[in-house]
Amino acid sequence: MHSKSELVNWLGKQYGYSSYLEVATANSGFQFSNIDSRIYSSIERIMYRLPPNYHDGLIINFSTTSTESCHCFMPLIDKNKSFDVVFVDSFHTYEASRRDLELALLVLDK
């Protein structure tokens, strides 16, 4: 496998996963467009630390200009929504990475 998205798609196909969430910033992630919708029927994305009026042409389900991703996770947590695969590519600080991983575990299907 040559990319992270190839691994995510392989996992979905191999284990019958059907829901994917990507957590990223404007400067991280970049796998969303390569997730295979024939494998994943639910593909969603959280983006934070976005510049005003940011749009990359792809769906962003939950977004904020804030440095805190928790604002985006809360609607998912409140609805008890879960995902088979959560790809986390946080803002690259220890604090952001730890926070995003802890929040991702709350929405990961167990």
Side-chain angles (χ1 to χ4, degrees):
M1 281 174 234
H2 297 99
S3 70
K4 297 169 191 173
S5 59
E6 286 179 325
L7 175 59
V8 168
N9 289 328
W10 179 85
L11 286 169
K13 195 171 188 179
Q14 185 74 19
Y15 296 103
Y17 295 154
S18 62
S19 57
Y20 170 85
L21 174 66
E22 183 169 305
V23 181
T25 69
N27 300 320
S28 66
F30 309 118
Q31 302 304 304
F32 192 76
S33 66
N34 297 316
I35 302 305
D36 192 337
S37 62
R38 295 170 297 179
I39 298 169
Y40 293 94
S41 57
S42 173
I43 303 172
E44 298 187 34
R45 183 165 65 150
I46 287 175
M47 294 193 77
Y48 65 102
R49 293 185 58 93
L50 295 181
N53 301 315
Y54 175 86
H55 197 348
D56 61 3
L58 302 172
I59 294 169
I60 302 172
N61 302 87
F62 305 95
S63 66
T64 184
T65 57
S66 170
T67 59
E68 298 291 323
S69 62
C70 58
H71 306 295
C72 297
F73 274 98
M74 291 317 296
L76 298 171
I77 294 167
D78 289 345
K79 292 181 181 177
N80 292 318
K81 183 144 187 189
S82 62
F83 297 87
D84 296 319
V85 176
V86 180
F87 176 77
V88 179
D89 196 351
S90 308
F91 183 65
H92 296 164
T93 64
Y94 172 80
E95 294 80 13
S97 297
R98 180 180 175 132
R99 178 200 58 231
D100 290 350
L101 287 170
E102 288 174 349
L103 290 166
L105 287 172
L106 295 175
V107 298
L108 185 62
D109 193 15
K110 294 159 180 91

